[in-house]
Amino acid sequence: MAFNHKHLIDITEYSAEDIMTILETAKTLSEVNERRIKKVPTLQGYTVVNMFNEPSTRTRSSFELAEKRMSCDTINFGGSSTSAVKGESLVDTMETLNSYKIDLVVIRDKHAGAPQLVAQHTSAHVVDAGDGKHQHPTQALLDLYSIWQEKGSFEGLNVAIVGDILHSRVCGSLVPALKIMGAKVTLVAPQTLLPARPDVLGADYVSSNLDEVLPEMDVMYMLRVQRERLEEAPFPSEREYHMLFGLTQARDALMKPDALICHPGPINRGVELDSFMADHPTRSVILDQVYAGICTRMSVLYWLLGGNENGSAS
Ligand code: CP
């Protein structure tokens, strides 16, 4: 298999075959997480920098764990503990780190475009771990992995992405990724949380009526309301948002019997969905998504750092 990508910054540069290769390798690597010694020597000697300039629980911890599982050497830093607080620019920081002969940089930043900038100032591979409102490609891959594990394929699958589309980098990667894999995507949001041109994202349908859409869907993907990015009040109250766009226990009966519930986390319980739906024993795959974060990131590291040249993944 030819995997010809230096970076993972823009999911639209990846084909269905590339994505399927990452998912299948993630499936193989998931077995490593079941062993007593959860480690393979595959990427021994590679140095990875995790640069998190914005808060993260899931992405940061799962990248660190994925790197450890694959035996990479890692440097973890970012935000207020770096010389950025003394005025050092992102470019100077990157050129400094590049002097260490690093192999791969994982970057999260509040500025859209930061990963592209970093890629211009390092010879290392770059993985976007979420940049501003732009993209979050490894989140899209772990979402696809979780859906694939439950549904078996993507062709013709009806997926609704609900909520704060306007501020969502998850949406920026997930909509194109689902379309590349053959799914049908419906965006559901109040008009005030939709971009001016929702068609640019590539979704098939746009609606502001959750109850109309709900019975047709195979997957309900609930987006976090990004309180930290809301510049004005886009809805009167969180209570009203929850009534109109929240996945509530009352709406359970409207869903297909085998429809799934996804959320990228962190959850605002009582806003995007209530606790009954978040913890739903058969529908919710939210914690499976968290677990998929390790396997898919192990796979991304494997393929970007040489794939078959490093021998078998596990
Ligand atoms: N989904 C996600 O990116 O979560 P974190 O912000 O906790 O990494």
Side-chain angles (χ1 to χ4, degrees), residues 55-60 108 136 139 264-266:
S56 166
T57 296
R58 281 146 284 268
T59 312
R60 184 174 183 154
R108 166 166 294 193
H136 194 348
Q139 177 71 45

Side-chain angles (χ1 to χ4, degrees), residues 210 237-248 251 268-275:
L210 179 63
S237 69
E238 288 189 345
R239 193 165 165 271
E240 181 176 309
Y241 178 89
H242 185 60
M243 263 170 47
L244 293 175
F245 295 97
L247 206 50
T248 57
R251 291 193 162 107
N268 297 308
R269 284 178 188 258
V271 183
E272 298 99 49
L273 69 182
D274 63 21
S275 284

Side-chain angles (χ1 to χ4, degrees), residues 25 28-46 65-73 298-299 301-302 310-314:
T25 304
T28 304
L29 287 167
S30 73
E31 184 265 322
V32 174
N33 296 291
E34 308 300 331
R35 298 178 189 171
R36 192 185 70 75
I37 298 172
K38 302 176 180 62
K39 208 173 186 68
V40 287
T42 317
L43 298 181
Q44 216 163 34
Y46 287 103
L65 216 44
E67 292 150 12
K68 288 184 165 79
R69 300 273 200 259
M70 300 298 278
S71 299
C72 298
D73 296 319
M298 287 167 80
S299 176
L301 294 169
Y302 172 76
N310 295 310
S312 138
S314 61

Side-chain angles (χ1 to χ4, degrees), residues 94-282:
M94 203 55 251
E95 289 183 346
T96 301
L97 293 169
N98 198 48
S99 306
Y100 298 146
K101 311 294 178 204
I102 57 175
D103 297 297
L104 189 142
V105 180
V106 176
I107 174 162
R108 166 166 294 193
D109 202 279
K110 69 177 177 184
H111 299 292
Q116 283 90 341
L117 183 65
V118 161
Q120 288 162 17
H121 294 276
T122 178
S123 48
H125 302 271
V126 176
V127 178
D128 179 357
D131 63 321
K133 294 189 272 183
H134 179 228
Q135 284 215 25
H136 194 348
T138 58
Q139 177 71 45
L141 290 171
L142 74 87
D143 295 334
L144 291 181
Y145 183 88
S146 308
I147 295 169
W148 177 55
Q149 287 302 287
E150 294 293 327
K151 296 290 183 188
S153 78
F154 300 100
E155 200 57 48
L157 208 63
N158 276 313
V159 182
I161 304 179
V162 184
D164 189 356
I165 314 285
L166 182 63
H167 300 103
S168 177
R169 58 188 173 213
V170 171
C171 210
S173 294
L174 183 58
V175 176
L178 285 164
K179 291 303 302 171
I180 290 165
M181 301 312 289
K184 280 189 265 173
V185 181
T186 300
L187 302 178
V188 185
Q191 289 295 329
T192 49
L193 286 178
L194 283 170
R197 294 277 316 275
D199 55 307
V200 171
L201 282 168
D204 298 281
Y205 308 103
V206 180
S207 171
S208 289
N209 188 332
L210 179 63
D211 290 333
E212 209 169 79
V213 163
L214 205 51
E216 305 301 321
M217 294 299 137
D218 300 300
V219 179
M220 295 300 297
Y221 193 104
M222 310 308 290
L223 291 172
R224 181 172 72 86
V225 172
Q226 310 224 344
R227 290 164 169 150
E228 74 279 19
R229 296 191 216 276
L230 299 183
E231 278 130 31
E232 297 162 4
F235 42 81
S237 69
E238 288 189 345
R239 193 165 165 271
E240 181 176 309
Y241 178 89
H242 185 60
M243 263 170 47
L244 293 175
F245 295 97
L247 206 50
T248 57
Q249 184 170 1
R251 291 193 162 107
D252 189 24
L254 297 177
M255 295 174 70
K256 281 188 180 178
D258 59 349
L260 302 177
I261 299 170
C262 298
H263 192 299
I267 298 171
N268 297 308
R269 284 178 188 258
V271 183
E272 298 99 49
L273 69 182
D274 63 21
S275 284
F276 179 86
M277 297 301 256
D279 305 327
H280 198 293
T282 57

